[in-house]
Amino acid sequence: MMGRNLVARERTETINLEAFVPQDHLLRAIDRYLDLTAFRDHLKPFYSHMGRPSVDPELLIRMLIIGYCYGIRSERRLCEEVHLNLAYRWFCHLGVHDRVPDHSTFSKNRHGRFRDSDAFRELFESVLRRCMVEGMVGGEGFATDASVIKADAQRQRAVPGMERIDWGDPSRLARPVREYLAALEASVPTDPPKSISLTDPAASWTATAGPAFFAYSTNYLVDVKHGIIVDVEPSSSSHAAESRATRTMIDRTEQRLHIKPYRLIADTAYGSAAMLGWLVKDKGITPHVPVWDRSQRKDGTFIVGDFVWEPEADQYRCPGGKALRKEWRAFTHARVHVTKAGTVNYRSSGMDCAPCKLKPWCCPHTATRKIVRSIHEDARDVARRIMQTPEYAQSRRERKKVEMLFAHLKRILKLDRLRLRGPTGAHDEFLLAATAQNLRRMAKRLYVEGMVPTQPVA
C-alpha cells in the first residue's frame, strides 16, 4: 500500500537544537575547542559604554568561522545559510526564531572595530594557544612556504608600471588605493612593476602558471608535529618578499608566543645567502633548506667546488695550486672589499694564469679567474652539510604538510581568489582561513577521533 505524508506546512514545531545536531558534527567538535572569552576582552575598549547594544561580535566571528570552514565565500549567502541551517544556528547560539544579522554588518565591523583592534590576529592566536594547550604544537621544527592567491583585480583595469597615474581627489580614493599610496610614501624607491591595477594597486603582477594576473602571496609557518599553522603573513608575490615575510613570522612567533624552532624547513626559494646567514648567525636556527647556488657552469670549465677554500689565509687555491686573493697589493687605507650584493671577489694573478696549462678549462675567455664568495658563505656551508644527513631527508618529507594545507585552502575552503582588496583585506582573509584550518585540524584530531582533552584552557 502506498503511504502518503501530508503535514501542514504552517504547523508549529518545537525543536531542540541540542538534540538535533549530531554528536559527530564538525561544528560540535569545533565548538568544544573554540573559546572567545579573550577575543571579547580584546574588543571591549573599542566599544562605547553608552548607547544601544551592538550586534554581538562573537556572533559575527562564529558566522565567519562557518563561512571559512565550509567554503561559503559570499557573506550574503552566509547569512542565508545560517538562517536556514539548524546546525549553523546551534553553533552561533541562535534560536529558531532569532534574527540573523544583515550581511552589511560584516563590512561595517571589518572596516571599523575589527581592523582597528587587529581582532583577527587576536582570534588566530587564541586558537593557536588552545592548540598548544592540547599538545598539538611541538615547537621543534617549523616549515615555511608561500602560495599565490588571485586578487580581486581584473587584467583589463591595469596600466603599465612606467605610466604616470592620476589618482584623482585624495578624499574620494578607495581604501586599497589609499593604503597603496601610504605604503609608497613610506618605502624606499624601487623599480616600478610591469603593471599596476587601478582597483588594487598593491597586488603583484605575476605569472606562476598560464596568463599573468594580479595576486598576493599567503605565507605559512607550520609546526610539523601535527601540521598546525603557527603564523601567517600576506606579501607580494616575489621570492624576496616571501623571505621577508618568513623572517617577520619567526620573529613574531618568538616575541608573542615564546616559541623558536630548532630547525626550519623550506624550499630553494628560501636558500639565499642572506636568508641562510640570518637563520644561522642571528637566530641560531638549523636551516634544512637547499642552497640557492648559481655558481654552476655549463661550458665545461671548473666550478667553484673545484677550488679549495683556505680560511686561515683568506684565499682560494685553484686546481693548478695557485692562489686567488681579494687583494694582491697593500693599500694605504684598508679596504673592506664587500660589494653592495654582500659578496667578496677573489681573483687569480695574471702571471699565474698566462702560462698555466689548465687555463682552457678554467678561464678561457678572460685573463684571470674570479670567484665570488658571499659574506654568508659559512652559513651556506652549514646548509650544504645538513643536506647530506638523514634528518634532512626526513625534513623533505615533512615539508609536504605545508603543501597539503595550501591544497586544502584552495580546494576545500575555496580561497583561490580574494574577495577583499588591499593588503589589509588580504591580511584579514588569510588570518581567518588559517584560523579555520587550525580549528578543523584540532577538532578532527582530538574530538572526532575520540581524544578527550585533559588540560584546561589557558
Side-chain angles (χ1 to χ4, degrees):
M1 178 177 180
M2 182 183 295
R4 192 171 187 180
N5 183 22
L6 290 177
V7 178
R9 292 177 176 173
E10 64 274 9
R11 187 178 70 178
T12 302
E13 299 279 357
T14 301
I15 299 176
N16 183 357
L17 291 181
E18 180 63 31
F20 185 84
V21 180
Q23 292 296 319
D24 59 350
H25 197 282
L26 176 63
L27 290 181
R28 186 179 286 277
I30 290 176
D31 184 70
R32 185 186 187 102
Y33 299 103
L34 180 63
D35 184 3
L36 296 177
T37 304
F39 176 79
R40 293 184 64 89
D41 294 340
H42 179 76
L43 277 178
K44 276 183 180 179
F46 295 88
Y47 283 84
S48 173
H49 63 282
M50 301 171 57
R52 294 186 303 169
S54 69
V55 175
D56 189 352
E58 181 175 342
L59 171 60
L60 299 179
I61 290 300
R62 286 180 174 271
M63 290 179 66
L64 286 173
I65 289 174
I66 291 174
Y68 278 85
C69 282
Y70 288 95
I72 304 175
R73 303 288 295 126
S74 168
E75 289 166 358
R76 188 186 297 269
R77 179 170 166 249
L78 174 62
C79 293
E80 295 173 355
E81 292 291 336
V82 173
H83 174 73
L84 296 173
N85 193 304
L86 295 181
Y88 293 174
R89 282 183 171 271
W90 175 88
F91 182 76
C92 294
H93 297 179
L94 291 174
V96 177
H97 302 290
D98 290 337
R99 181 175 177 273
V100 177
D102 187 77
H103 66 88
S104 61
T105 308
F106 290 97
S107 299
K108 186 174 182 181
N109 281 273
R110 180 187 295 112
H111 298 310
R113 297 184 182 94
F114 286 176
R115 189 157 290 166
D116 295 339
S117 63
D118 202 7
F120 296 135
R121 170 64 62 180
E122 174 62 29
L123 174 66
F124 171 79
E125 291 186 354
S126 67
V127 172
L128 177 59
R129 284 191 288 269
R130 181 60 191 258
C131 293
M132 295 169 62
V133 169
E134 299 297 337
M136 297 193 68
V137 177
E140 183 272 336
F142 286 175
T144 186
D145 205 351
S147 183
V148 177
I149 307 294
K150 291 183 179 179
D152 186 22
Q154 297 181 350
R155 292 164 50 92
Q156 293 78 7
R157 292 282 292 164
V159 296
M162 298 295 296
E163 183 176 315
R164 183 177 179 85
I165 303 175
D166 182 11
W167 296 104
D169 185 2
S171 62
R172 302 183 63 181
L173 294 177
R175 176 189 52 80
V177 178
R178 294 197 306 270
E179 292 178 359
Y180 168 74
L181 295 178
L184 202 61
E185 292 179 358
S187 63
V188 179
T190 57
D191 295 334
K194 184 176 180 180
S195 294
I196 296 178
S197 169
L198 296 178
T199 53
D200 192 353
S204 302
W205 181 253
T206 183
T208 55
F213 55 89
F214 290 105
Y216 288 92
S217 284
T218 176
N219 299 269
Y220 277 6
L221 190 64
V222 177
D223 184 90
V224 297
K225 181 180 181 181
H226 290 294
I228 294 297
I229 305 168
V230 296
D231 206 351
V232 58
E233 179 74 11
S235 72
S236 58
S237 300
S238 67
H239 291 326
E242 290 163 2
S243 293
R244 289 194 298 270
T246 296
R247 294 191 187 195
T248 300
M249 291 188 294
I250 291 175
D251 285 338
R252 183 165 53 209
T253 303
E254 183 178 5
Q255 294 168 5
R256 297 173 69 107
L257 301 174
H258 308 291
I259 303 176
K260 189 177 76 170
Y262 167 76
R263 59 190 170 109
L264 180 72
I265 308 168
D267 58 20
T268 311
Y270 301 86
S272 64
M275 185 68 183
L276 294 175
W278 180 79
L279 288 172
V280 175
K281 300 175 184 177
D282 298 343
K283 305 303 294 184
I285 298 175
T286 305
H288 286 225
V289 184
V291 178
W292 190 349
D293 193 355
R294 295 182 177 179
S295 63
Q296 301 297 325
R297 296 191 166 196
K298 299 180 181 180
D299 57 358
T301 57
F302 295 141
I303 61 175
V304 175
D306 296 325
F307 294 75
V308 179
W309 170 246
E310 299 177 346
E312 298 82 5
D314 190 16
Q315 65 182 20
Y316 280 95
R317 186 71 62 177
C318 76
K322 304 300 181 181
L324 285 79
R325 302 171 183 167
K326 61 184 178 183
E327 59 182 27
W328 283 92
R329 64 184 179 87
F331 293 93
T332 304
H333 302 285
R335 299 188 179 185
V336 181
H337 298 286
V338 179
T339 66
K340 292 182 179 180
T343 59
V344 179
N345 296 326
Y346 290 82
R347 291 182 172 85
S348 61
S349 170
M351 292 184 295
D352 292 334
C353 290
C356 183
K357 296 180 180 180
L358 299 177
K359 191 176 189 302
W361 296 275
C362 185
C363 51
H365 306 297
T366 57
T368 60
R369 177 63 186 262
K370 181 180 76 171
I371 292 181
V372 179
R373 179 180 175 86
S374 171
I375 58 175
H376 304 295
E377 194 66 30
D378 51 347
R380 286 158 57 91
D381 290 338
V382 170
R384 290 189 184 100
R385 289 193 294 270
I386 294 173
M387 291 172 64
Q388 310 303 321
T389 62
E391 291 78 11
Y392 178 83
Q394 174 65 24
S395 295
R396 292 291 89 196
R397 293 188 287 270
E398 291 175 333
R399 198 181 69 84
K400 296 178 182 178
K401 295 182 179 181
V402 189
E403 302 293 344
M404 292 171 60
L405 284 168
F406 287 144
H408 180 269
L409 177 71
K410 296 180 179 181
R411 293 178 179 270
I412 307 301
L413 273 59
K414 310 297 184 184
L415 188 58
D416 55 352
R417 182 185 178 95
L418 294 172
R419 292 187 64 250
L420 306 180
R421 292 173 177 169
T424 55
H427 170 271
D428 293 349
E429 290 215 60
F430 293 159
L431 276 173
L432 281 170
T435 302
Q437 288 182 293
N438 280 348
L439 281 170
R440 288 174 61 104
R441 179 64 59 92
M442 179 167 52
K444 289 186 176 182
R445 179 81 181 182
L446 300 179
Y447 185 83
V448 177
E449 295 181 3
M451 296 178 62
V452 179
T454 58
Q455 301 182 37
V457 180

